[in-house]
Amino acid sequence: MSLLDILVSPAAAQAAGGAAGQPSMLSSILPLIIIFIVFWFLLLRPQMKRAKEHRELLAKLQKGDEVITGGGLAGRIEDLGESFVTVEIADKVSIKVQRGAITAVLPKGTLKSA
């Protein structure tokens, strides 16, 4: 018995040599199709849904909304621009953030003035 016989059984080598044992084109592509479908439903679709919800949240922003930024700052919207939003984070302290940096809108009255 040679080393090759141990690694590859002689029966498997004989079956691979014949043309009758070749899988069809569909059976060789089917696993790739199934992987893509699983990838779509588990990763791509939920991410697209979250992105759509975030776009809708940004489109509905109004002056006076209480928001949280991506950096964790909480404040009230003072001014809305096309790309930037002015957020008051404390009395007479305002910052400009990109519109996309706003991650959540808080319920009215969540932030109370000191």
Side-chain angles (χ1 to χ4, degrees):
M1 208 174 204
S2 71
L3 180 62
L4 187 58
D5 287 339
I6 294 172
L7 297 176
V8 178
S9 72
Q14 289 174 356
Q22 289 184 345
S24 68
M25 180 80 154
L26 180 63
S27 65
S28 61
I29 293 178
L30 190 62
L32 293 173
I33 294 171
I34 291 172
I35 289 171
F36 178 75
I37 291 171
V38 168
F39 184 75
W40 174 264
F41 281 104
L42 293 180
L43 295 175
L44 294 177
R45 193 167 172 248
Q47 180 62 30
M48 289 169 36
K49 184 178 177 184
R50 262 185 256 121
K52 180 181 176 187
E53 290 172 355
H54 190 246
R55 278 193 309 269
E56 290 173 356
L57 175 124
L58 295 179
K60 293 179 183 178
L61 288 177
Q62 298 176 10
K63 187 174 180 178
D65 283 348
E66 296 174 354
V67 296
I68 301 271
T69 66
L73 294 173
R76 186 172 292 109
I77 294 178
E78 286 185 337
D79 188 31
L80 290 166
E82 193 168 316
S83 298
F84 292 93
V85 176
T86 304
V87 179
E88 181 183 23
I89 56 174
D91 288 337
K92 300 179 184 175
V93 179
S94 297
I95 59 171
K96 274 194 172 194
V97 296
Q98 286 184 330
R99 196 179 267 261
I102 294 175
T103 57
V105 176
L106 301 171
K108 297 277 186 191
T110 302
L111 303 174
K112 299 189 187 219
S113 299

